């Protein structure tokens, strides 16, 4: 007789702590996909059951709960993590126990694990495009400001290398603030920016303090038309915390809520019916959503979530995601995605000003990237 036992999957995001706004959205994207999978008959008739823990935006808690999921709840697959420090905390555990982590967040690249599937953007899918866009439109003197942990350090290194390929370029300054920085903590940063007058600011500030940076910038009367902030992490979720201070600033990401495709619009409608109107879909929500379907499709093909049999079914698989048709690259476990640049508008959404018309292959070690990695351009920019 066919096995009808439920299948448990670990779900590890942060409902509390400094990255809880984005973490909640990742959880909701995951739960939406799980609902859809179960409504469509489950995994060959087996219900998919999330085992969720709140990792409190704290890497040590991620590690403890990942081990609990593996050893006590006996899951083979974990969907989770936002900050790279949390992925770095979970990585040795999924490797040690030979389990699988699906990681739905843009990150700094320069990593590979047989036990991770990376569904957010690698630097050749967001940093290269942002560097090109900002330097072409505003100039090549960059001020780097980030939260104090691994993703900002590494992402700033990559951005510096890209920008410094340009003529008349300069790294004006590179500063870090605590993950729980307040608006006051940004006052000296903003003073320095006003004095140094960079052409643009690259922000790798994550979580709640992102809103503090943009508010401090706006309160100081600085002008995004002449000295904008460009970011890879400021999504609709962070913008929703800023009360208008994000308007006119840029983000490079494979997904924005404003993508006008039927797949996206239908997904957003189902999402709002399930979770209400005040949720904030964003690039990490979308990756959390589509990677759950990637997992489910592979499970059905493998008949198991044993990583040894599941991973070969994941690699090379494709899916119509809200951003477009994605593919898991079989050589490096990252995902073919669609680079886009958006500018924050008065509705708290992103107006998409540039977009690739076909997926860009992930190149997490930045081996073959170059400036001008756009597959095609949507339109010329009108600011
Ligand atoms: C990040 O820490 N990967 C945003």
């Amino acid at each position: 007789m066919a096995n009808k036992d439920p299948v448990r999957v670990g779900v590890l995001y942060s409902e509390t702590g400094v990255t809880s706004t984005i973490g909640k959205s990742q959880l909701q994207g995951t739960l939406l996909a799980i609902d859809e999978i179960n409504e469509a008959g489950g995994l060959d008739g087996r219900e998919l059951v999330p085992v969720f823990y709140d990792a409190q935006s704290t890497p040590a808690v991620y590690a403890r709960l990942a081990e609990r999921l593996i050893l006590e709840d006996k899951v083979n697959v974990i969907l989770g993590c936002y900050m790279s420090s949390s992925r770095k905390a979970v990585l040795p555990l999924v490797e040690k126990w030979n389990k699988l982590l699906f990681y739905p967040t843009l990150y700094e690249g320069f990593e590979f694990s047989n036990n991770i599937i990376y569904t957010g953007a690698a630097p050749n899918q967001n940093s290269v495009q942002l560097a090109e866009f900002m330097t072409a439109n505003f100039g090549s003197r960059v001020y780097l400001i980030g939260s104090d942990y691994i993703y900002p350090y590494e992402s700033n290194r990559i951005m510096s290398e890209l920008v410094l390929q340009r003529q008349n370029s300069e790294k004006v300054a590179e500063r870090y603030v605590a993950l729980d920085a307040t608006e006051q903590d940004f006052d000296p940063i903003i003073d320095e920016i006003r004095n140094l007058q960079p052409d643009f600011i690259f922000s790798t500030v994550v979580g709640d303090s992102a809103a503090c940076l943009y508010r401090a910038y706006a309160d100081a009367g600085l002008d995004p038309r002449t000295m904008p902030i460009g970011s890879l992490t400021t999504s609709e979720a962070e913008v929703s915390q800023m009360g208008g201070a994000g308007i006119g600033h840029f983000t490079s990401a494979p997904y924005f809520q404003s993508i006008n495709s039927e797949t996206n619009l239908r997904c957003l409608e189902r999402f709002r019916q399930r979770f209400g109107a005040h949720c904030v879909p964003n690039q990490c929500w979308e990756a959390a959503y589509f990677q759950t379907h990637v997992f489910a499709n592979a499970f059905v093909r493998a008949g198991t979530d044993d990583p040894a049999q599941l991973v070969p079914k994941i690699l090379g698989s494709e899916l119509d995601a809200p951003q477009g048709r994605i593919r898991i690259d079989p050589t490096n476990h990252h995902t073919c995605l669609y680079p886009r640049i958006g500018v924050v508008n008065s509705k708290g959404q992103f107006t998409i000003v540039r977009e690739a018309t076909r997926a860009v292959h992930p190149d997490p070690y930045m081996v073959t990237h170059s400036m001008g990695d756009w597959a095609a351009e949507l339109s010329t920019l009108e600011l």
Side-chain angles (χ1 to χ4, degrees):
M1 216 177 84
N3 181 352
K4 293 292 168 209
D5 291 345
V7 177
R8 298 202 295 181
V9 63
V11 177
L12 196 52
Y13 296 112
S14 294
E15 272 193 313
T16 55
V18 290
T19 61
S20 59
T21 302
I22 200 102
K24 279 185 214 155
S25 78
Q26 289 178 306
L27 172 63
Q28 291 168 338
T30 304
L31 295 179
L32 175 68
I34 291 176
D35 279 0
E36 290 175 354
I37 290 158
N38 288 329
E39 276 162 23
L43 305 174
D44 259 345
R46 300 174 65 181
E47 187 189 0
L48 180 59
V49 178
V51 183
F52 168 68
Y53 295 123
D54 171 14
Q56 301 166 25
S57 306
T58 306
V61 178
Y62 272 93
R64 180 161 51 76
L65 294 175
E67 198 144 49
R68 188 201 286 186
L69 283 167
I70 293 167
L71 296 181
E72 293 177 28
D73 299 301
K74 309 252 184 269
V75 306
N76 280 329
V77 173
I78 298 173
L79 310 165
C81 299
Y82 175 72
M83 280 191 284
S84 289
S85 45
S86 62
R87 186 193 69 259
K88 294 277 188 201
V90 171
L91 183 151
L93 298 166
V94 288
E95 289 191 341
K96 176 176 170 190
W97 302 106
N98 198 20
K99 304 298 179 192
L100 192 64
L101 170 70
F102 277 85
Y103 177 57
T105 307
L106 69 125
Y107 86 110
E108 63 280 2
F110 293 86
E111 187 181 287
F112 170 81
S113 170
N114 266 324
N115 299 82
I116 301 185
I117 302 292
Y118 304 80
T119 57
N124 77 303
Q125 297 166 315
N126 58 7
S127 305
V128 169
Q129 292 76 9
L130 187 69
E132 177 168 68
F133 180 86
M134 298 306 276
T135 55
N137 286 289
F138 300 101
S140 302
R141 295 179 61 255
V142 61
Y143 184 104
L144 305 143
I145 170 71
S147 301
D148 196 3
Y149 75 104
I150 180 160
Y151 157 73
Y153 307 153
E154 288 301 302
S155 191
N156 280 337
R157 178 182 63 75
I158 293 163
M159 183 57 67
S160 303
E161 286 176 9
L162 291 167
V163 170
L164 293 175
Q165 293 173 23
R166 298 300 227 193
Q167 301 242 304
N168 303 321
S169 54
E170 184 188 348
K171 180 161 91 173
V172 172
E174 178 171 349
R175 303 282 177 247
Y176 292 93
V177 293
L179 276 163
D180 59 355
T182 62
E183 200 172 323
Q184 274 177 344
D185 294 324
F186 286 103
D187 287 345
I189 305 277
I190 296 295
D191 282 346
E192 187 176 54
I193 288 171
R194 197 203 312 272
N195 289 336
L196 295 174
Q197 289 288 311
D199 293 328
F200 75 99
I201 298 150
F202 177 51
S203 168
T204 47
V205 176
V206 304
D208 293 342
S209 57
C212 299
L213 165 66
Y214 287 74
R215 272 204 299 264
Y217 176 108
D219 290 351
L222 301 181
D223 187 350
R225 286 172 303 186
T226 53
M227 196 197 346
I229 303 172
S231 172
L232 312 173
T233 42
T234 300
S235 73
E236 292 86 342
E238 288 77 14
V239 168
S240 74
Q241 299 179 288
M242 291 179 191
I247 295 171
H249 296 291
F250 295 89
T251 294
S252 171
Y255 174 85
F256 295 110
Q257 253 186 75
S258 53
I259 292 172
N260 192 15
S261 72
E262 203 161 310
T263 309
N264 182 42
L265 296 176
R266 274 198 268 115
C267 185
L268 289 173
E269 199 181 305
R270 288 193 302 276
F271 182 64
R272 298 217 163 92
Q273 275 167 7
R274 167 77 166 80
F275 288 100
H278 38 259
C279 303
V280 276
N282 60 77
Q283 60 174 328
C284 300
W285 165 88
E286 192 240 10
Y289 168 79
F290 80 66
Q291 71 173 19
T292 309
H293 279 291
V294 169
F295 159 61
N297 291 347
F299 184 104
V300 170
R301 290 176 60 216
T304 173
D305 61 1
D306 176 351
Q309 293 165 68
L310 186 71
V311 170
K313 302 296 184 205
I314 295 168
L315 300 181
S317 69
E318 299 187 15
L319 190 97
D320 282 321
Q323 69 174 276
R325 191 163 181 83
I326 60 91
R327 177 169 189 265
I328 310 298
D329 189 297
T331 59
N332 61 33
H333 285 209
H334 290 62
T335 307
C336 302
L337 301 169
Y338 297 81
R340 293 179 164 93
I341 304 273
V343 57
V344 180
N345 61 36
S346 58
K347 298 194 177 89
Q349 296 293 320
F350 285 87
T351 301
I352 298 169
V353 294
R354 198 161 286 188
E355 106 186 316
T357 55
R358 57 185 161 78
V360 169
H361 283 270
D363 181 10
Y365 288 87
M366 301 281 276
V367 177
T368 59
H369 84 279
S370 63
M371 297 286 245
D373 239 0
W374 294 103
E377 285 179 20
L378 180 68
S379 61
T380 50
L381 173 70
E382 279 174 34
L383 288 173

